[in-house]
Amino acid sequence: MFLENIGQANDIKKVRKEDLNALAQEIRDFLIQKISVSGGHLGSNLGAVELTMALHLALNLPEDKIIWDVGHQSYTHKILTGRRCGFESLRQFHGLSGFPKRKESECDVFDTGHSSTSISAGLGLVRARELTGGKNTIVSVLGDGSLTGGMAYEALNNASKLDTNFIIILNDNNMSISENVGGVSKYLNNIRTASGYLDLKRGIYNALTGTRGGKNAINKIRKAKSSFKQLVIPGMFFEDMGITYLGPVDGHNISSMVSVISDAKRVEGPVLIHVLTQKGKGYLPAERHPARFHGAEPFDIETGIPSHPRIVANYTDIFSTVMCKLGQRDEKIVAITAAMPDGTGLKRFRNMYPKRFFDVGIAEEHAVTFAAGLAVGGLKPIVAVYSSFLQRAYDQILHDVCIQNLPVVFAIDRAGLVGSDGETHQGIFDFTYLTGIPNMHVCAPKNKWELSDMLKFAVGFGAPIAVRYPRGTAYDGLKEHRAPIVLGKAEWIYQEREIALLAVGSMVKTAEYVRNTLKEKGYSVSLVNVRFVKPIDEEAVKEACANHRLIVTMEENVACGGYGEKVVDCMNRYRLKNLCLNIHIPDAYVEHGNVDLLKQEIGLDGDSITERILAAYSGDM
């Protein structure tokens, strides 16, 4: 009823105060209904409904700016800015993104997808506002663990120097940072943001600044004030940094939230509003199982059970099983994750070996250097991380692990195209950013059996090594081809003539399809399971060139720095003149959508590859 009248930004201000709670319920019902069909981030969005409504009531969009950290809690924001109808295509190919996107709306001020970035981006907007004479309000909203990321603290430290308004909202949907001391905290929040108090404070400080001994007097006032606030204000960590702390505030009370945001707008400097919310609020299955409904697959609304339960094991399941077996065999094996024990498959390892499991929060940089320290201490650390998140720890891989040639294993999940989360989550750059680092070794399994073998090899390898595997169902074909893993050696699966397919990891399955198709057309086709992208098997490349007219490399990585480039370089060094066709992802960001559709779009599906091979073989490249 009320939601139908929200067609663009600021329409929410036309809703009567007494009807706002009803609108919140309509939004929740809408989100549950749509996400049950499309899948998406349900829990975080249900918890942020009233908070988002309060922001839209207290601010004037798009002049005022909201930066959503990670961005997976921005669905209500999208609804309130005229994109309700777009939810039919949420996270689908060419449809509405599950994250803020500037190209979607002028109310989306900053594209986000990774954690702990909003304060830095917001601070940049504040400084830009100062330099251009703007008067608008800038708000950064972070939560869901984002404050465990070091970048957030770097930005807070920098923001503390501000003398103009900047609002930071900490959406705390798990536990309070510190205990709220009843009504005293609320009372102090009220008087400290009242116009009279702020005017008095500003006047005293301005008067003292220009007098002899004024700075000393100011410092004494601050110390006296702080000694009292330490007793009654739960946000002294922020206060001591020079950031005004307001809260904790009930994030499901719209009027209270509007009031505190309005108060915060009057603060001349950085101000942090600590908001308490419940993840999954309003939908019992999500309240009971917030982790399961963080990134939900389509589900039955009545029961919360997935509509299409997964029966076949995926690569993460295989990794989970192998990790538990490895942990049982070797007490020196330890596992590290950056806030993803469920997503990376380490939950079972944690339950079996709690003392050898470390969740460092959303802090990939720390996770890698921490693993380096564990390795120096004589342990065998395995860092389980998504491909797109490992990008954040590039310097630590290079500086702390590889320079010292430490035996850290990187289990890289979600490598290649991942689908619905889009540009920020596609794992299509890891070959590129890893293989350029000296002492790093990179391999990719063709199927679930080889993932197990590669992990066992990696643990005993004794140097930095990454095992890269995709999202989704674990391929169980080619089981009979299981040659021992040897560093830098490829595996010849079929050895014929004319065309040689050199496929990496997940592309072996596609290459098998392409080979069968070409065989039906009368061509003689070899298939090589590359296994190692660094070091590559140069002998296999030379052998392929000796016996085949066309060499085809196949990888689920961008062209620049990928396996195909390395093969071309090898051929040039050995003056091999064969035709070479590199099949790869274009050097571009790939949008969200079903993986099969994305592969068709970029020419990485079996049929498209077959057509390109036929054109290349006939000399029409």
Side-chain angles (χ1 to χ4, degrees):
M1 177 180 175
F2 301 108
L3 191 54
E4 293 177 357
N5 296 321
I6 305 294
Q8 60 185 358
N10 302 310
D11 276 354
I12 189 175
K13 296 177 181 178
K14 301 174 185 178
V15 180
R16 296 181 305 173
K17 289 184 178 180
E18 56 266 32
D19 295 327
L20 288 172
N21 287 330
L23 174 59
Q25 185 59 51
E26 285 189 30
I27 292 173
R28 280 198 171 86
D29 291 342
F30 177 86
L31 289 173
I32 293 167
Q33 178 187 1
K34 297 300 180 182
I35 297 173
S36 71
V37 175
S38 66
H41 293 97
L42 182 62
S44 54
N45 282 289
L46 292 179
V49 172
E50 289 87 358
L51 166 58
T52 308
M53 292 172 62
L55 282 167
H56 280 253
L57 288 165
L59 303 177
N60 184 36
L61 272 64
E63 289 79 13
D64 295 331
K65 310 296 182 185
I66 305 172
I67 303 97
W68 299 94
D69 206 282
V70 181
H72 60 345
Q73 74 276 43
S74 64
Y75 289 8
T76 300
H77 167 77
K78 288 176 181 270
I79 292 170
L80 296 179
T81 51
R83 286 170 277 179
R84 176 170 56 90
C85 294
F87 271 76
E88 299 296 339
S89 64
L90 179 67
R91 303 170 80 240
Q92 297 176 22
F93 189 49
H94 291 329
L96 193 69
S97 171
F99 297 91
K101 282 287 179 286
R102 296 172 65 202
K103 65 183 180 182
E104 276 186 12
S105 169
E106 60 181 340
C107 295
D108 288 4
V109 65
F110 200 83
D111 289 5
T112 50
H114 288 184
S115 171
S116 313
T117 63
S118 64
I119 304 177
S120 298
L123 181 56
L125 282 164
V126 170
R127 291 301 191 188
R129 179 188 66 193
E130 292 175 352
L131 293 171
T132 57
K135 301 294 183 182
N136 59 336
T137 300
I138 310 295
V139 182
S140 292
V141 183
L142 76 158
D144 204 25
S146 294
L147 206 57
T148 63
M151 187 175 174
Y153 293 96
E154 296 173 18
L156 283 170
N157 180 61
N158 196 215
S160 66
K161 302 174 184 178
L162 282 175
D163 56 8
T164 58
N165 183 257
F166 175 32
I167 300 174
I168 302 164
I169 293 181
L170 173 59
N171 178 15
D172 181 359
N173 55 25
N174 189 11
M175 63 183 67
S176 179
I177 287 177
S178 52
E179 187 177 357
N180 180 20
V181 190
V184 177
S185 177
K186 182 178 180 181
Y187 171 74
L188 285 175
N189 288 340
N190 290 337
I191 66 169
R192 288 165 61 233
T193 56
S195 298
Y197 172 81
L198 293 172
D199 291 342
L200 176 62
K201 175 182 174 182
R202 194 179 307 117
I204 292 173
Y205 279 32
N206 289 342
L208 288 173
T209 300
T211 64
R212 179 180 296 180
K215 290 186 177 179
N216 186 44
I218 289 173
N219 288 333
K220 288 182 178 179
I221 291 172
R222 284 174 173 163
K223 288 179 180 178
K225 183 176 67 172
S226 295
S227 64
F228 175 61
K229 288 197 298 184
Q230 288 279 7
L231 299 175
V232 294
I233 299 179
M236 280 308 299
F237 170 78
F238 302 105
E239 291 275 350
D240 285 343
M241 293 182 71
I243 299 171
T244 300
Y245 173 90
L246 305 179
V249 183
D250 181 0
H252 301 299
N253 187 315
I254 298 172
S255 61
S256 293
M257 281 298 309
V258 171
S259 177
V260 75
I261 294 169
S262 299
D263 289 340
K265 289 167 66 176
R266 294 198 293 269
V267 176
E268 291 189 3
V271 53
L272 184 138
I273 304 173
H274 182 186
V275 179
L276 301 180
T277 62
Q278 180 183 10
K279 198 168 186 177
K281 183 175 176 60
Y283 182 53
L284 191 58
E287 291 178 1
R288 290 177 173 173
H289 308 284
R292 185 196 305 171
F293 285 91
H294 172 75
E297 297 296 327
F299 60 92
D300 176 75
I301 294 177
E302 185 175 344
T303 64
I305 297 173
S307 302
H308 306 288
R310 179 167 47 86
I311 300 174
V312 181
N314 61 28
Y315 280 101
T316 305
D317 296 329
I318 302 302
F319 170 74
S320 176
T321 299
V322 175
M323 278 297 297
C324 292
K325 292 180 179 179
L326 288 172
Q328 185 179 26
R329 297 172 187 172
D330 191 340
E331 293 184 353
K332 289 188 175 182
I333 289 176
V334 293
I336 304 102
T337 182
M340 300 291 288
D342 291 300
T344 60
L346 285 177
K347 184 176 180 179
R348 288 171 58 197
F349 186 94
R350 177 192 65 189
N351 294 339
M352 293 177 67
Y353 314 105
K355 292 184 178 180
R356 290 191 275 149
F357 169 82
F358 304 97
D359 186 345
V360 300
I362 306 176
E364 290 84 4
E365 301 96 326
H366 165 58
V368 172
T369 303
F370 173 58
L374 289 167
V376 169
L379 298 177
K380 299 178 180 179
I382 300 175
V383 181
V385 61
Y386 288 4
S387 174
S388 69
F389 297 160
L390 186 59
Q391 294 164 184
R392 313 187 84 189
Y394 182 83
D395 180 65
Q396 288 72 24
I397 298 170
L398 189 155
H399 183 274
D400 300 328
V401 174
C402 289
I403 284 180
Q404 303 181 83
N405 202 28
L406 295 174
V408 176
V409 177
F410 296 94
I412 305 179
D413 201 337
R414 306 304 200 267
L417 296 169
V418 299
S420 301
D421 286 334
E423 297 99 323
T424 56
H425 286 63
Q426 309 286 16
I428 59 178
F429 303 103
D430 47 58
F431 288 163
T432 303
Y433 68 76
L434 288 174
T435 58
I437 303 176
N439 290 337
M440 175 57 77
H441 307 80
V442 183
C443 56
K446 68 178 182 293
N447 57 22
K448 66 180 185 180
W449 315 104
E450 196 159 84
L451 173 58
S452 176
D453 294 342
M454 281 187 174
L455 287 169
K456 295 170 185 175
F457 172 84
V459 167
F461 178 55
I465 184 168
V467 182
R468 184 229 208 212
Y469 47 96
R471 182 182 188 178
T473 302
Y475 181 49
D476 60 359
L478 300 174
K479 180 181 179 180
E480 65 278 12
H481 298 275
R482 200 174 179 179
I485 307 295
V486 178
L487 177 64
K489 291 300 178 182
E491 176 190 40
W492 285 85
I493 296 177
Y494 302 110
Q495 203 160 3
E496 296 183 0
R497 304 184 70 83
E498 289 190 304
I499 301 170
L501 307 178
L502 279 59
V504 184
S506 60
M507 293 302 292
V508 172
K509 178 182 178 181
T510 304
E512 188 180 24
Y513 171 86
V514 170
R515 177 181 181 273
N516 292 336
T517 304
L518 291 171
K519 292 281 288 180
E520 291 175 359
K521 296 180 181 295
Y523 292 90
S524 178
V525 185
S526 297
L527 173 55
V528 179
N529 170 27
V530 168
R531 284 186 167 173
F532 283 88
V533 177
K534 185 183 180 184
I536 71 167
D537 189 344
E538 293 190 349
E539 293 304 315
V541 173
K542 289 191 287 184
E543 184 178 354
C545 290
N547 299 307
H548 302 80
R549 178 168 176 254
L550 174 63
I551 309 300
V552 182
T553 67
M554 299 171 61
E555 62 187 310
E556 209 168 329
N557 192 83
V558 294
C560 184
Y563 175 72
E565 278 196 355
K566 291 171 175 55
V567 169
V568 170
D569 175 67
C570 176
M571 292 174 65
N572 288 336
R573 282 188 286 108
Y574 290 105
R575 295 187 174 89
L576 304 172
K577 304 299 183 181
N578 305 65
L579 292 173
C580 185
L581 174 64
N582 296 144
I583 303 295
H584 49 66
I585 294 171
D587 287 328
Y589 299 106
V590 180
E591 67 170 295
H592 58 276
N594 175 274
V595 170
D596 290 337
L597 290 176
L598 293 177
K599 286 184 175 181
Q600 291 175 20
E601 180 77 2
I602 62 177
L604 209 66
D605 64 294
D607 291 334
S608 298
I609 293 171
T610 301
E611 291 178 8
R612 290 185 61 186
I613 290 173
L614 291 173
Y617 195 78
S618 64
D620 191 24
M621 291 179 69

